[in-house]
Amino acid sequence: MPGNVAQLFVETLKAAGVERIWGLPGDSLNAFTDALRRDGSLQWMHMRHEESAAFAAGAEAELTGRLAVVAGSCGPGNLHFINGLFDAHRSRVPVLAIASHIPLAEIGSGYFQETHPQELFRECSVYSELVSDASQLPWVLETAMRTALERRGVAVVVVPGDVFFQEAPDRRPSAPIRAASSHVVPAESELEAAAGILNAAKRVTILAGAGVAGAHAEVIALAERLKAPIVHALRGKPYIEHDNPYDVGMTGLLGFASGYRAMAKCDALLMLGTDFPYRQFFPEKASIVQVDIRGEQLGRRTPIDAGLVGDVRSTAAALLPLLTGERSDKHLKDAVKHYTRTRRELDELADNDGRRPMHPQYVARLVDEMAATDAVITADVGTPTVWAARYLRMTGRRMLLGSFVHGSMANAMPQALGAAAAAPGRQVVALAGDGGLAMLMGDLLSVTQNDLPVKIVVFNNGSLNFVELEMKAAGIVNFGTGLRNPNFADVATAVGITGIRVEHPDELEDALRRAFAVPGPALVDVVVARDELSIPPAITAAQAKGFTLWALRTVMSGRGDELLDLADVNIVRRIFG
Ligand SMILES: Cc1ncc(C[n+]2csc(CCOP(=O)(O)OP(=O)(O)O)c2C)c(N)n1
């Protein structure tokens, strides 16, 4: 039996198959880190900022589907987790946060470093409890771990430093804690009601989200029977875009016209495992059938006509035999044709036309072409996510990670660390923004500290570019968005990472080849155009007006030269009509 509470934690985590802990030590965590040291079988992933640790753990959890763990010290130590934990929680991935606390007897006294972590983390967790006596164990720990796995989210266990040293209670252990696997199928009557709606429709479109993971064949079979184009939300991309003749691209703010159009033109929309949040992209007149494993998500984005609670794989398989009748493939053909054209237009924007600074699309395209077919690619919030969404092709073995629900900057590099630790031997590429990389740049040191061979490609546009775009769409002159950057390749070199700077597009291919070939980590700092427009798929009248206003105001404020730099004249023409 384990001796003290800290050792009980270590034993329970090991039994559950946990392999590593991401974190940063501190006085109140000493018993725990000492238990790790004595045991020696769990890897301590030493990070420089707890937020990065939480992003890394979230990526590990998303990639493996298994519980990932972070540990941080009391007060400011674990408070630093919060943004990364929010991200993991909103992405619905199982992460356990061990938050050590001030001495038990001091809670409530306004003691040095006092916070109330179980309250602070309440909003970003499925479970958050304080252990104030060893007798609560192992129940609290086990419940936390199971809740994180079964409800998919973050569980927080708060332990005062002195409680870690208490003697652990003696109880026979439960079976190791793992996610249970089950099939959830809607009742027959509900399947029939949904099939009735789909059978009556002439033009069905499928919208696929992250819930289609593991259901590729079943979703394709539905599309085939329904003659339905498949649009995906960003988190559905790695699971459904590949090997998919029904694919018509993505919708949403980062998507492109064909995805938007296939949704706008349908008379029935079948939503599969998606909580796609932007109401303005849903069709106004179509009937809507929604399938989700979480009943509470039904109808929360758009009114629906039938809501089914089930996992997509089982539900799609159960629905298929109920879909009867011949259906014209006109809608499908039309959507696919439009997609082919849109795709070609997008690809044309990603050429090397010799322009300096180069088009960021070209960088994304080359990464796509040169990265391994099973690479894990992470993308920073900001324009790297736009380029990843548009130019990375999924293969069924590639994975794309980002902060796609929480939408936090600075996610790509620490997520890459999490992926590299969880999947040794697999290529991991981070597409970083210059703002994003700088935000958690201290953890470049964690790349070498933990020997993680990540490849970081920086879209160095000298700005908080996505915000500039938002300002333009709102008719506001850019302000507060310029970045005075260092040469990031030099920074990388200084911390022991192969650093390569690329200013000319002709040098990019060689640079990426070199970076991908070196056995260790590498950073490629690519200077890209600042004024590339990543416009949404359907630009509203208000946005068009916004762009016009921005143009006028920019000229009037004496910064009209910005306009002359606009990269793609055709796009501008399209915006201004
Ligand atoms: C933590 C955080 N702060 C601010 C924002 C608002 N925001 C969204 S994208 C963005 C710009 C990102 O800049 P960068 O990483 O350089 O990428 P770029 O868009 O320039 O390619 C900002 C400030 C955010 N999403 N998250």
Side-chain angles (χ1 to χ4, degrees):
M1 270 311 293
N4 65 23
V5 164
Q7 287 166 307
L8 173 88
F9 267 65
V10 172
E11 289 304 320
T12 312
L13 296 175
K14 268 169 55 182
V18 170
E19 292 175 14
R20 62 188 64 78
I21 320 273
W22 301 87
L24 208 153
D27 176 36
S28 51
L29 199 64
N30 279 351
F32 181 73
T33 41
D34 190 51
L36 288 176
R37 181 187 63 80
R38 285 163 188 268
D39 175 76
S41 61
L42 289 175
Q43 236 182 319
W44 175 250
M45 306 304 292
H46 187 149
M47 302 292 280
R48 302 304 173 106
H49 192 306
E50 290 86 352
E51 180 177 336
S52 303
F55 271 125
E60 178 183 351
E62 185 158 3
L63 197 60
T64 63
R66 296 198 305 266
L67 189 72
V69 182
V70 294
S73 65
C74 68
N78 62 56
L79 188 60
H80 261 178
F81 281 141
I82 200 152
N83 196 44
L85 288 186
F86 252 100
D87 185 72
H89 186 64
R90 297 297 316 274
S91 294
R92 299 239 156 96
V93 297
V95 171
L96 172 73
I98 299 169
S100 68
H101 201 10
I102 59 168
L104 186 64
E106 298 296 348
I107 295 175
S109 72
Y111 192 65
F112 174 63
Q113 295 188 321
E114 181 167 0
T115 61
H116 295 87
Q118 72 275 24
E119 302 308 328
L120 283 168
F121 294 118
R122 183 91 52 212
E123 197 187 334
C124 62
S125 64
V126 287
Y127 184 90
S128 181
E129 287 296 338
L130 168 69
V131 175
S132 43
D133 189 89
S135 62
Q136 288 171 270
L137 294 163
W139 311 104
V140 166
L141 176 60
E142 290 185 354
T143 307
M145 292 164 71
R146 279 191 216 282
T147 311
L149 284 163
E150 296 307 328
R151 291 189 52 206
R152 299 183 62 86
V154 170
V156 183
V157 179
V158 181
V159 189
D162 47 330
V163 173
F164 267 133
F165 281 110
Q166 286 178 9
E167 193 182 333
D170 195 10
R171 197 211 67 183
R172 83 172 178 89
S174 275
I177 298 165
R178 307 221 193 282
S181 64
S182 51
H183 302 288
V184 183
V185 195
E188 196 64 25
S189 59
E190 303 200 349
L191 287 165
E192 278 164 9
I197 293 171
L198 297 171
N199 284 334
K202 289 198 170 58
R203 299 177 307 281
V204 181
T205 293
I206 292 174
L207 173 63
V212 303
H216 188 272
E218 289 76 7
V219 176
I220 297 287
L222 275 187
E224 188 180 354
R225 180 70 54 85
L226 290 165
K227 304 280 184 281
I230 301 177
V231 179
H232 56 263
L234 183 50
R235 292 193 72 208
K237 182 178 167 81
Y239 307 114
I240 200 65
E241 187 194 58
H242 63 100
D243 302 315
N244 179 354
Y246 305 91
D247 178 33
V248 294
M250 204 176 96
T251 186
L253 294 168
L254 313 182
F256 36 96
S258 54
Y260 175 78
R261 186 171 172 275
M263 294 233 322
K265 288 198 159 238
C266 70
D267 63 352
L269 179 71
L270 175 57
M271 296 170 65
L272 298 176
T274 177
D275 190 31
F276 176 73
Y278 301 104
R279 298 186 207 286
Q280 65 272 34
F281 289 91
F282 282 98
E284 276 170 19
K285 295 199 180 110
S287 307
I288 298 190
V289 175
Q290 183 176 6
V291 178
D292 205 289
I293 190 73
R294 293 170 186 260
E296 71 271 22
Q297 294 195 164
L298 296 174
R300 78 170 178 178
R301 305 302 181 191
T302 177
I304 56 173
D305 300 278
L308 304 181
V309 176
D311 67 80
V312 173
R313 188 173 183 194
S314 312
T315 306
L319 198 53
L320 188 66
L322 306 178
L323 301 173
T324 53
E326 278 307 297
R327 190 182 301 273
S328 151
D329 61 1
K330 195 164 167 291
H331 171 58
L332 171 64
K333 279 193 166 150
D334 174 62
V336 170
K337 195 168 142 207
H338 192 270
Y339 173 56
T340 310
R341 200 173 63 229
T342 310
R343 190 65 263 170
R344 199 172 46 238
E345 284 172 10
L346 280 173
D347 290 343
E348 280 164 10
L349 299 176
D351 279 341
N352 172 12
D353 57 8
R355 181 181 191 263
R356 284 180 69 182
M358 73 189 85
H359 298 294
Q361 293 94 322
Y362 176 59
V363 184
R365 205 194 86 199
L366 273 195
V367 168
D368 173 63
E369 287 171 6
M370 297 174 71
T373 50
D374 68 344
V376 181
I377 304 174
T378 66
D380 257 338
V381 159
T383 64
T385 293
V386 182
W387 310 134
R390 295 183 181 178
Y391 292 102
L392 296 182
R393 284 167 302 178
M394 295 292 109
T395 60
R397 294 167 61 226
R398 275 187 180 170
M399 184 60 186
L400 175 63
L401 299 172
S403 180
F404 298 148
V405 185
H406 184 48
S408 172
M409 282 172 71
N411 57 292
M413 188 263 289
Q415 285 179 330
L417 299 187
R426 217 165 143 181
Q427 186 184 63
V428 179
V429 183
L431 305 183
D434 44 4
L437 181 72
M439 196 173 260
L440 286 175
M441 198 153 70
D443 273 292
L444 268 184
L445 303 179
S446 302
V447 173
T448 37
Q449 175 98 32
N450 296 294
D451 280 329
L452 295 168
V454 294
K455 315 296 177 184
I456 302 167
V457 179
V458 187
F459 287 73
N460 188 345
N461 50 35
S463 63
L464 301 170
N465 206 247
F466 196 75
V467 180
E468 291 198 336
L469 182 74
E470 290 168 326
M471 288 174 170
K472 286 168 193 170
I476 295 168
V477 176
N478 292 155
F479 177 76
T481 49
L483 300 175
R484 203 181 290 177
N485 284 326
N487 177 325
F488 289 108
D490 287 347
V491 174
T493 308
V495 302
I497 297 173
T498 301
I500 308 169
R501 170 99 165 172
V502 181
E503 295 179 3
H504 196 289
D506 293 346
E507 296 159 2
L508 183 63
E509 196 173 328
D510 273 353
L512 289 176
R513 187 167 299 116
R514 230 182 96 204
F516 290 172
V518 294
L523 182 149
V524 186
D525 181 16
V526 191
V527 180
V528 296
R530 179 171 177 174
D531 290 307
E532 203 74 33
L533 286 177
S534 50
I535 58 162
I539 184 157
T540 62
Q543 284 170 326
K545 194 171 150 208
F547 275 104
T548 315
L549 274 177
W550 158 72
L552 283 173
R553 287 180 181 149
T554 300
V555 171
M556 286 186 317
S557 67
R559 287 164 57 185
D561 53 330
E562 280 187 16
L563 283 172
L564 299 177
D565 264 351
L566 283 170
D568 192 87
V569 178
N570 288 329
I571 291 184
V572 180
R573 257 196 234 119
R574 243 180 280 155
I575 293 169
F576 297 127

